Amino acid sequence: MYDPETETTVVCHARTPLVFDPVEERIERARDLEDGDLVDTVVLRSWPETVRFDDDSPHREVVEEFERFDEWADRRGVSVRPPFETRTRTSMVEEGGVDVLVTPVLCLAVYREERLVSVFPHSDGETTYSVERALDRLEADQLPRPLIGTADVPDARTCPECEAALVNGQGLFVCPDCEWSGTLADEGWTELDDVELEPTTAPATDD
């Protein structure tokens, strides 16, 4: 189980202006998560449909957020492209066009003690973990478990979810920070159900 004393924050990013009732309904569901036992804080943020990649963009923080999400996805062997897209738009004043980021209509990011642990939606190439499904789990006071894809070079020393150091118990890897657990094969990580960590006691020594 997850430590209930660990602070959980959900950041809900929405494209403005909103014109779809289902999107507004999901935003309200996200806002209401603070009424449950799991989520401590819900932050609502808006972003435009497109954002330039250059450093002079007035929405540079959106690009930085996308880069953070993209790095998280790479560590897990999944993708956030889509829902994010990168495009080059023609420009009459800039030769070669302008590179822009297209944002999703709705995106959830879950943080544990300010550490990014999941982004929704994301995909492993076959299955997409939707915002709707993540909200269902969060409303049940359960952390949604992200998908795990096939990473090129899995690191057996680092948790694929939070990057903390893993404990290797005869082939079963457990993270003492976020309590992720799984096994490692040539094709990548296989995540297991929650594992209770037993406290370790130093062996007695003779004085």
Side-chain angles (χ1 to χ4, degrees):
M1 296 176 60
Y2 285 91
D3 184 355
E5 296 184 0
T6 300
E7 183 176 359
T8 301
T9 300
V10 173
V11 182
C12 178
H13 300 269
R15 187 192 294 174
T16 55
L18 294 175
V19 293
F20 303 109
D21 289 339
V23 175
E24 294 179 348
E25 184 265 338
R26 287 171 188 147
I27 291 174
E28 286 303 314
R29 289 177 62 189
R31 193 195 308 270
D32 292 341
L33 291 174
E34 288 185 349
D35 297 334
D37 296 327
L38 174 65
V39 177
D40 299 283
T41 305
V42 174
V43 180
L44 302 180
R45 293 178 180 167
S46 62
W47 51 28
E49 180 179 358
T50 60
V51 177
R52 292 171 60 113
F53 271 103
D54 57 74
D55 293 336
D56 295 331
S57 169
H59 301 287
R60 181 61 195 171
E61 73 281 357
V62 177
V63 175
E64 292 173 351
E65 198 82 347
F66 159 70
E67 291 172 344
R68 187 177 303 114
F69 295 168
D70 204 34
E71 290 173 0
W72 170 86
D74 284 344
R75 291 195 301 270
R76 294 190 66 87
V78 297
S79 176
V80 291
R81 308 186 191 201
F84 291 91
E85 297 180 39
T86 57
R87 299 176 184 170
T88 300
R89 291 188 170 175
T90 57
S91 172
M92 297 180 63
V93 297
E94 297 188 43
E95 185 178 355
V98 177
D99 293 332
V100 298
L101 171 70
V102 182
T103 63
V105 173
L106 191 65
C107 178
L108 290 185
V110 180
Y111 294 82
R112 298 278 284 177
E113 296 291 357
E114 301 183 354
R115 177 186 293 135
L116 178 64
V117 296
S118 52
V119 179
F120 305 95
H122 65 267
S123 171
D124 63 2
E126 297 181 356
T127 303
T128 297
Y129 202 134
S130 66
V131 169
E132 182 80 15
R133 181 180 167 192
L135 285 171
D136 288 343
R137 293 277 295 179
L138 291 166
E139 287 172 336
D141 291 326
Q142 298 176 342
L143 277 178
R145 289 286 194 175
L147 304 172
I148 295 183
T150 302
D152 292 336
V153 184
D155 188 345
R157 299 166 299 176
T158 304
C159 174
E161 185 160 303
C162 72
E163 295 189 284
L166 289 172
V167 176
N168 182 2
Q170 297 182 338
L172 173 62
F173 295 86
V174 179
C175 175
D177 282 14
C178 72
E179 299 188 13
W180 177 92
S181 60
T183 58
L184 181 63
D186 291 340
E187 64 272 15
W189 289 110
T190 298
E191 187 170 9
L192 305 178
D193 293 334
D194 292 351
V195 175
E196 290 285 352
L197 289 176
E198 295 293 338
T200 57
T201 303
T205 57
D206 295 330
D207 292 334

